């Protein structure tokens, strides 16, 4: 059989401890698109995950919200079809396309049936390369964004997040809400949206993963057709975001029975040699589930919150360690005190061997469980590529977690956790908590 | 003598139902129903235990007890200390949680498939051997009050829906929030929790669902070993809740809250749910919700109110078909800035009246039918959601046969049946209309 499209394929089979294996093929298409593929032919559909690095951080000065607004219009008419025509076409194929605009990337998550794959991809091609930005669609989507922004103005979680970002990052794109403000969105024109489209959707920043009922050759051909017409290069990425918050507390008064808080300080880079030690430490202090120190101290022992968690927030241009929780106005002060004490204790004493072992067991045991379902796997593989991780990371990641020693954690706890630098942004009427 | 009895009981399991879509079911002698959903793509298993007991099964005056008990089930048993179950799950790399609805309480763990026996051992233990202290009650009650503060009291939309539901049900317990009214939740006691626990947490009131990389034979052997010895609760009766009297008058609710920035109008109509052996009308209502409000660009309300005469930022319809008792069909319109709720409601009424006259666009109907068929394929991608589909259906009184017949019933729905269902439910006398407004917002007529 003669094939017109050849893909370069390397196959790597990664084996998990518990007998699973996942065969990832790295392909390069004739036009030079790189993609990761896992063939899974038991269900007649494919999940395709596409990322364009940059995302809403590519908003031009004074045009905050343009990239998000533009992404909201990709499905609102393309080529010969207006918004309704496009929706009808997609529905008649039972395909789903989800577009997202985030601080570091635009995401496109597509699922389509094998029986009409070519038509579905033709439609997606149209959305990615020839969106119409019709005036009627622009005004319709603008009204939806305005409604969303109005709702956030009275949402304590949104107020906390925006206050945090502004104080931490100032004028950098990370310093403001990615969707924009009512004023900035009201002022955006069709030209601004077209500029955002050219800036943000380009071939030099694309990451692709596919999982499902498709072969390497089929995917290779599909991708070259799908991205045909996109510009070779996009706008330059912004510089790193300098973290400007120092230790203290900021209270934003808001009339609500329960306060919310967001807290944290500077973190650790993803490629830092100490990253895995930090990862384990975070798991012990405020990781998933009900077993973390903070869940035990704030919720299980004292009943001061429904849930508290911390996480290493590694964005492309900034690394922080952060956490959040809610507590009723009368108890927020006590809850903050408990968190501050735990933070100081972590810096001073680190963790115990028992905690280290428990965290390692959880982190290594739970890792293979993430690879469940076509859509999940496609998502993970695209994220790995964006983080610059190699295919065989899946096989070595657990070894890196297990290599962390108690000495590492004690040293890194001192380096990472700084009670004096810890800042709390609190929204509500917390009794006895004041800004300083 | 337990070992011998267990071996003997194993003969009583009966012939399993024929596997369809990799689904097998059987029943233990103590009444525990077991459903096995095979998915061998990853070495993972979801272990879920569903109780036929939810908030709507509570006695009056102890609202929130089903949900409170769900939290308390993570405390100590005769052989496990408080928090041990979650800790052991985590040590094995798994995750666990639980959830409570009006019709069920469910507990689950997601772990590597070779840890299934350990999960069953712990889940079976807490079905019968919970040991609660007064300290557990005081601390955990604060946690559920924090939960209520976070999820309900801090969210005007959630408070509004609580009021809407209370208005929709005069007598039936669906009108009481799952998390409980604050004044009642604040007083829940150890005795309240144990009364609910002892009554409902029994093998003959539960459904075990195991989905993932397992075989029915493995599950049967493990279930027999761990759940088999549990004693059933004698005399458990059919679940019969206080019935709702016929609704004779339209009800209207206006909820005002200073934290509201986007006002909206919400309308709900009393509607039937899927009944065992009689799911046709519910299937027609699934189509009706899609036709009226499924997609902004192509649905009847989306086209009319977001496109042709764009007065709304969003217009939609919703229907949840899986409940034990009668449920609701809902419509919602979020008006654009400068459009009043009175205008939005009038436009909604006009569109419904027009739809009842003009009927269904055949092309739209075919698109929806095809999408519903494709959803059955996409839904196979998640073992967890397949397990949930069976769990929700079985605790809502449906059978395995009903669940497996549902896709075909959906494909057999005709536009005429949808119109007939629409004519039956769109009766103002059986509706509740709510407006969510900011402080000093628009007055309702």
């Amino acid at each position: 059989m003669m094939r017109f499209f050849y893909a370069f394929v390397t196959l790597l089979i990664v084996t998990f401890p518990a007998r699973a294996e996942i065969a990832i093929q790295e392909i390069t298409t004739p036009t030079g698109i790189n993609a990761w593929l896992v063939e899974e032919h038991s269900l007649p559909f494919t999940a395709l995950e596409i990322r364009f690095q940059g995302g809403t951080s590519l908003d031009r000065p004074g045009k905050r919200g343009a990239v998000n607004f533009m992404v909201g219009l990709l499905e609102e008419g393309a080529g010969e079809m207006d918004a309704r025509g496009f929706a009808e076409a997609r529905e008649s194929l039972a395909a789903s396309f989800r577009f997202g605009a985030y601080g570091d990337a635009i995401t496109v998550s597509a699922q389509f049936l094998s029986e009409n794959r070519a038509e579905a991809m033709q439609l997606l091609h149209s959305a990615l390369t020839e969106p119409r930005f019709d005036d009627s669609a622009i005004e319709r989507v603008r009204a939806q964004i305005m409604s969303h922004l109005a709702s956030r103005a009275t949402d304590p979680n949104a107020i906390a997040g925006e206050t945090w970002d502004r104080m931490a990052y100032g004028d950098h794109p990370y310093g403001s809400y990615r969707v924009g403000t009512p004023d900035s969105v009201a002022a955006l024109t069709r030209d601004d949206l077209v500029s955002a489209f050219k800036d943000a959707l380009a071939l030099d920043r694309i990451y692709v993963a596919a999982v499902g009922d498709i072969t390497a050759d089929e995917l290779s051909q599909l991708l070259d057709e799908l991205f045909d017409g996109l510009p070779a290069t996009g706008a330059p990425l912004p510089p790193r975001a300098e973290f400007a918050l120092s230790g203290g507390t900021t209270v934003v008064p808001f009339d609500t029975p329960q306060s919310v808080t967001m807290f944290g300080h500077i973190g650790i880079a993803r490629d830092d040699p100490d990253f895995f030690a930090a990862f384990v430490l975070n798991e012990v202090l405020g990781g998933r589930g009900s077993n973390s120190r903070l869940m035990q101290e704030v919720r299980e022992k004292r009943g001061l919150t429904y849930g508290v968690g911390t996480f290493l927030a590694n964005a492309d241009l900034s690394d922080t360690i952060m956490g959040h929780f809610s507590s009723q106005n009368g108890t927020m002060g006590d809850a903050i005190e408990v968190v501050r004490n735990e933070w100081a204790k972590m810096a001073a004493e680190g963790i115990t061997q028992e905690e280290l072992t428990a965290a390692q067991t959880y982190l290594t045991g739970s890792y293979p469980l993430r690879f469940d379902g076509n859509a999940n796997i496609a998502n993970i593989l695209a994220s790995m590529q964006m983080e610059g991780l190699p295919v065989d990371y899946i096989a070595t990641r657990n070894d890196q977690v297990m290599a962390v020693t108690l000495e590492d954690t004690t040293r890194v706890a001192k380096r990472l956790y700084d009670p004096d630098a810890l800042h709390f942004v609190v929204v509500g009427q917390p009794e006895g908590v004041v800004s300083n | 003598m337990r070992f011998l009895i267990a071996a003997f009981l194993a003969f009583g399991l009966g012939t399993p139902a024929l596997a369809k879509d990799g689904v097998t079911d059987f029943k233990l002698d103590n009444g525990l129903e077991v459903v096995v959903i095979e998915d061998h793509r990853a070495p993972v298993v979801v272990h879920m235990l569903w109780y036929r007991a939810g908030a709507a099964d509570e006695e009056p005056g102890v609202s929130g007890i089903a949900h409170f008990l769900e939290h308390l089930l993570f405390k100590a048993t005769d052989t496990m200390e408080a928090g041990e179950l979650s800790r052991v799950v985590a040590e094995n790399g798994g995750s666990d949680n639980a959830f409570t609805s009006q019709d069920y309480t469910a507990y689950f763990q997601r772990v590597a498939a070779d840890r299934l026996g350990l999960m069953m051992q712990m889940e079976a233990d807490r079905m019968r051997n919970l040991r609660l202290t007064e300290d557990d009650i005081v601390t955990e009650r604060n946690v559920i009050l924090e939960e209520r503060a976070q999820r309900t009291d801090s969210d005007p939309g959630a408070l509004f829906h609580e009021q809407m539901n209370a208005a929709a049900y005069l007598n039936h317990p669906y009108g009481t929030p799952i998390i409980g009214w604050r004044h009642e939740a604040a007083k829940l006691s150890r005795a309240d929790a144990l009364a609910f626990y002892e009554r409902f947490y029994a093998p003959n009131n539960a459904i075990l669902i195991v989905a993932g990389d397992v075989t029915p034979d493995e599950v049967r052997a493990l279930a027999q070993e761990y759940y088999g010895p549990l004693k059933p609760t004698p005399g458990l009766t059919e679940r019969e809740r206080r019935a709702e009297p016929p609704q004779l008058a339209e009800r209207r609710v206006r909820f005002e809250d200073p934290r509201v920035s986007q006002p909206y109008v919400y309308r709900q109509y009393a509607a039937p749910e899927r009944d065992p052996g009689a799911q046709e009308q519910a299937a027609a209502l699934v189509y009706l919700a899609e036709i009226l409000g499924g997609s902004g660009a192509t649905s009847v309300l989306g086209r009319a109110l977001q496109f042709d005469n764009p007065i709304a930022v969003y217009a939609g319809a919703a229907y949840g078909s899986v409940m034990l008792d009668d449920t609701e069909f809902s419509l919602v319109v979020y008006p654009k800035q400068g459009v009043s709720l009175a205008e939005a409601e009038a436009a909604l009424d006009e569109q419904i009246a027009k739809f009842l006259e003009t009927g269904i666009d055949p092309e739209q109907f075919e698109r929806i039918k095809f999408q519903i068929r494709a959803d059955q394929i996409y839904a196979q991608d998640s073992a967890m959601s397949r397990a949930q589909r069976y769990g929700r259906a079985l605790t809502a009184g449906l059978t395995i046969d009903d669940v497996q017949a549902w896709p075909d019933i959906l494909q057999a729905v005709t536009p005429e049946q949808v119109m007939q269902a629409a004519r039956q439910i769109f009766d103002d006398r059986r509706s509740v209309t709510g407006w969510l407004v900011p402080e000093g917002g628009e007055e309702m007529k």
Side-chain angles (χ1 to χ4, degrees):
Chain A
M1 192 178 122
M2 173 76 184
R3 287 207 178 101
F4 294 98
F5 292 87
Y6 291 96
F8 294 100
V9 180
T10 23
L11 176 65
L12 193 105
I13 297 190
V14 183
T15 307
F16 286 122
R19 85 199 141 88
E21 58 183 36
I22 172 168
I24 301 172
Q25 303 173 60
E26 276 188 276
I27 73 168
T28 304
T29 71
T31 69
I33 308 275
N34 295 309
W36 292 6
L37 164 68
V38 176
E39 291 188 40
E40 169 54 68
H41 297 285
S42 64
L43 296 173
F45 82 96
T46 300
L48 177 66
E49 183 74 22
I50 303 161
R51 307 274 170 86
F52 294 93
Q53 194 156 31
T56 59
S57 293
L58 296 175
D59 278 337
R60 295 181 180 193
K63 305 293 180 189
R64 195 53 168 154
V67 168
N68 174 74
F69 197 163
M70 174 275 290
V71 170
L73 285 160
L74 293 178
E75 267 203 294
E76 296 280 332
E80 300 296 307
M81 291 164 285
D82 63 8
R84 191 177 290 179
F86 188 91
E88 287 174 355
R90 186 183 55 68
E91 288 166 14
S92 61
L93 299 168
S96 88
F97 307 146
R98 282 186 298 115
F99 298 87
Y102 300 96
D104 288 335
I106 291 169
T107 63
V108 183
S109 312
Q111 293 198 355
F112 43 88
L113 300 173
S114 302
E115 65 187 80
N116 55 32
R117 181 199 298 147
E119 294 94 321
M121 287 302 95
Q122 223 172 359
L123 198 59
L124 185 58
H125 173 253
S126 181
L128 292 176
T129 58
E130 47 180 7
R132 286 161 46 138
F133 302 116
D134 288 336
D135 286 339
S136 61
I138 289 174
E139 292 319 314
R140 188 171 53 249
V141 172
R142 194 195 311 268
Q144 289 165 352
I145 294 173
M146 291 304 220
S147 165
H148 166 73
L149 291 174
S151 297
R152 286 176 59 89
T154 52
D155 174 354
N157 285 300
I159 296 168
E162 287 187 33
T163 305
W164 174 276
D165 289 343
R166 188 172 59 249
M167 294 179 73
Y169 301 112
D171 290 338
H172 189 278
Y174 281 9
S176 58
Y177 183 45
R178 59 190 165 73
V179 175
T181 64
D183 286 346
S184 76
V185 172
L188 291 171
T189 64
R190 185 177 188 281
D191 285 349
D192 295 329
L193 300 172
V194 171
S195 299
F197 173 67
K198 289 179 180 153
D199 287 348
L201 294 183
L203 290 171
D204 62 336
R205 56 196 47 184
I206 204 164
Y207 298 89
V208 183
V211 180
D213 185 25
I214 189 166
T215 66
D217 282 340
E218 287 166 342
L219 178 64
S220 178
Q221 180 180 349
L222 179 155
L223 294 177
D224 277 348
E225 289 170 4
L226 182 61
F227 300 131
D228 181 34
L230 283 179
T233 55
L237 297 172
R240 275 194 74 80
E242 295 303 324
F243 185 82
L245 254 176
S246 52
T249 306
T250 301
V251 177
V252 183
F254 184 74
D255 189 6
T256 172
Q258 190 187 41
S259 304
V260 305
T261 181
M262 185 169 269
F263 58 94
H265 58 48
I266 208 152
I268 186 166
R270 185 69 182 78
D271 56 2
D272 190 294
D274 285 334
F275 177 80
F276 278 94
F279 186 55
V280 170
L281 286 166
N282 177 65
E283 188 58 36
V284 174
L285 182 66
R288 277 151 295 188
S290 58
N291 306 297
S292 71
R293 283 186 180 182
L294 290 181
M295 275 295 268
Q296 287 298 319
E297 295 298 323
V298 187
R299 170 174 157 152
E300 299 299 327
K301 288 189 189 161
R302 298 180 176 84
L304 299 176
T305 189
Y306 174 50
V308 50
T310 59
F311 51 98
L312 299 176
N314 292 103
D316 283 359
L317 305 171
S318 141
D319 302 295
T320 52
I321 178 164
M322 297 187 60
H324 57 77
F325 63 89
S326 304
S327 188
Q328 299 189 51
N329 285 325
T331 53
M332 181 51 104
D334 294 343
I336 288 177
E337 201 52 39
V338 176
V339 173
R340 281 198 182 279
N341 288 339
E342 288 300 318
W343 211 269
K345 189 177 158 203
M346 183 60 100
E349 300 168 21
I351 59 176
T352 65
Q353 182 62 50
E354 202 184 352
E355 287 175 315
L356 171 61
T357 307
Q360 285 172 321
T361 313
Y362 171 70
L363 290 170
T364 55
S366 62
Y367 189 57
L369 303 194
R370 293 191 202 169
F371 293 80
D372 171 25
N374 294 356
N376 280 346
I377 298 173
N379 210 350
I380 294 169
L381 298 187
S383 297
M384 281 175 61
Q385 294 175 67
M386 275 199 72
E387 290 179 29
L389 299 170
V391 165
D392 72 355
Y393 173 80
I394 295 176
T396 63
R397 181 265 195 194
N398 275 358
D399 295 341
Q400 298 185 71
V401 172
M402 290 311 293
V404 173
T405 65
L406 192 61
E407 291 73 47
D408 292 336
T409 57
T410 310
R411 178 175 51 78
V412 176
K414 274 193 177 50
R415 176 188 159 191
L416 179 63
Y417 293 93
D418 181 356
D420 295 332
L422 190 58
H423 197 103
F424 285 79
V425 169
V426 188
V427 179
Q429 293 168 322
E431 289 168 26
V433 181
V434 290
S435 292
N436 57 43
Chain B
M1 290 293 284
R2 198 165 63 187
F3 179 78
L4 187 66
I5 290 166
F8 172 73
L9 286 179
F11 285 102
L13 293 175
T15 317
L18 212 59
K20 186 177 173 187
D21 289 339
V23 177
T24 313
D25 68 289
F26 52 89
K27 204 175 211 178
L28 301 188
D29 275 3
N30 61 11
L32 182 71
E33 281 184 57
V34 185
V35 180
V36 183
I37 302 170
E38 290 181 74
D39 177 350
H40 299 287
R41 290 179 300 161
V44 179
V45 69
V46 178
H47 170 254
M48 306 188 99
L49 193 68
W50 297 70
Y51 292 100
R52 290 190 169 91
D57 299 298
E58 296 163 346
E59 297 292 332
V62 290
S63 64
I65 195 66
H67 169 256
F68 187 32
L69 179 62
E70 174 220 306
H71 279 232
L72 293 170
L73 235 68
F74 292 84
K75 301 298 181 189
T77 70
D78 288 344
T79 54
M80 289 191 288
E81 56 186 55
E84 184 175 337
L85 184 145
S86 293
R87 201 185 69 232
V88 171
V89 172
E91 282 169 3
N92 283 278
S95 55
D96 72 317
N97 212 334
F99 39 89
T100 307
S101 88
Q102 291 287 5
D103 293 331
Y104 58 78
T105 312
Y107 300 82
F108 73 90
Q109 302 87 32
R110 201 170 156 272
V111 286
D114 56 3
R115 316 293 158 92
L116 178 60
L118 179 59
M119 299 303 115
M120 287 197 187
Q121 183 189 337
M122 295 190 293
E123 196 62 79
D125 180 34
R126 66 174 167 177
M127 184 191 292
R128 287 309 220 183
N129 303 320
L130 192 64
R131 293 294 169 260
L132 295 176
T133 67
E134 284 298 337
D135 270 2
D136 292 336
I137 298 296
V138 173
T139 314
E140 203 60 33
R141 200 169 47 206
N142 285 335
V143 171
I144 61 164
L145 293 173
E146 287 286 350
E147 183 178 355
R148 188 184 154 94
Q150 183 174 332
R151 299 172 68 163
T152 306
D153 302 329
S154 293
D155 179 353
L159 287 169
F160 171 56
H161 282 279
E162 200 172 76
Q163 295 294 309
M164 287 284 293
N165 262 334
Y169 296 97
L170 296 180
N171 196 45
H172 189 282
Y174 284 168
T176 303
I178 295 163
I179 195 144
W181 299 115
R182 175 171 280 275
H183 67 284
E184 291 185 351
K187 287 188 192 151
L188 293 174
S189 70
R190 181 171 175 274
D192 296 331
L194 290 176
F196 196 84
Y197 178 66
E198 280 155 15
R199 180 168 168 204
F200 291 118
Y201 281 51
N204 52 331
N205 196 43
I207 299 150
L208 172 67
I209 302 186
V210 180
D213 191 17
V214 288
T215 65
D217 286 345
E218 286 167 351
V219 175
R220 186 200 316 274
L222 290 169
Q224 187 58 47
E225 179 179 353
Y226 294 110
Y227 290 103
L230 298 174
K231 296 266 182 300
T233 292
L236 268 182
T237 50
E238 243 348 69
R239 299 160 86 185
E240 279 200 32
R241 282 87 173 252
R242 300 182 305 280
E244 191 61 17
Q247 184 178 344
L248 305 176
E250 180 186 355
R251 298 170 196 158
R252 296 181 72 79
V253 173
R254 178 182 175 279
F255 184 75
E256 181 178 313
D257 189 300
R259 295 168 294 181
V260 173
S261 345
Q262 168 68 61
Y264 59 85
V265 53
Y266 195 92
R267 163 88 51 80
Q268 60 190 47
Y269 298 90
E273 83 294 2
R274 283 163 66 183
D275 281 321
Q279 306 184 85
E280 287 73 10
Q281 199 179 2
L285 291 173
V286 168
Y287 276 81
L288 183 64
E290 283 297 316
I291 290 166
L292 291 179
S295 130
T298 61
S299 70
V300 168
L301 293 175
R303 288 174 86 135
L305 306 181
Q306 294 173 236
F307 281 74
D308 295 342
N309 173 25
I311 61 150
V313 289
Y314 175 72
Y319 169 65
S321 64
V322 184
M323 294 294 279
L324 185 64
D325 299 318
D326 279 355
T327 177
E328 307 105 37
F329 187 99
S330 313
L331 304 170
V332 66
V333 180
Y334 288 65
K336 286 211 297 206
Q337 270 177 6
V339 177
S340 70
L341 288 174
E343 289 171 274
E345 187 181 343
L348 175 67
D349 284 333
E350 186 191 331
Q351 289 307 319
I352 296 299
K354 198 170 143 197
F355 172 74
L356 290 173
E357 260 171 47
T358 55
I360 297 167
D361 167 12
E363 284 179 19
Q364 186 200 13
F365 190 85
E366 286 309 310
R367 285 198 303 270
I368 290 170
K369 191 170 165 178
F370 184 59
Q371 282 181 287
I372 287 175
R373 181 164 80 74
D375 283 344
Q376 305 291 332
I377 294 171
Y378 293 131
Q380 305 277 320
D381 198 28
S382 163
M384 179 87 180
S385 47
R386 291 177 75 191
Q388 277 180 296
R389 207 164 41 204
Y390 276 91
R392 290 180 55 218
L394 297 182
T395 51
L398 297 169
T399 65
I400 303 247
D401 285 346
D402 290 323
V403 177
Q404 297 186 338
W406 180 240
D408 289 341
I409 291 173
L410 282 169
Q411 286 303 304
V413 169
T414 64
E416 293 69 35
Q417 288 168 335
V418 176
M419 292 311 297
Q420 197 184 352
R423 281 189 289 268
Q424 273 176 25
I425 66 155
F426 290 136
D427 175 349
D428 285 347
R429 288 166 308 171
R430 304 191 64 209
S431 72
V432 185
T433 303
W435 288 11
L436 179 64
V437 298
E439 199 163 29
E442 190 179 342
E443 290 298 332
M444 203 174 206
K445 268 182 251 167

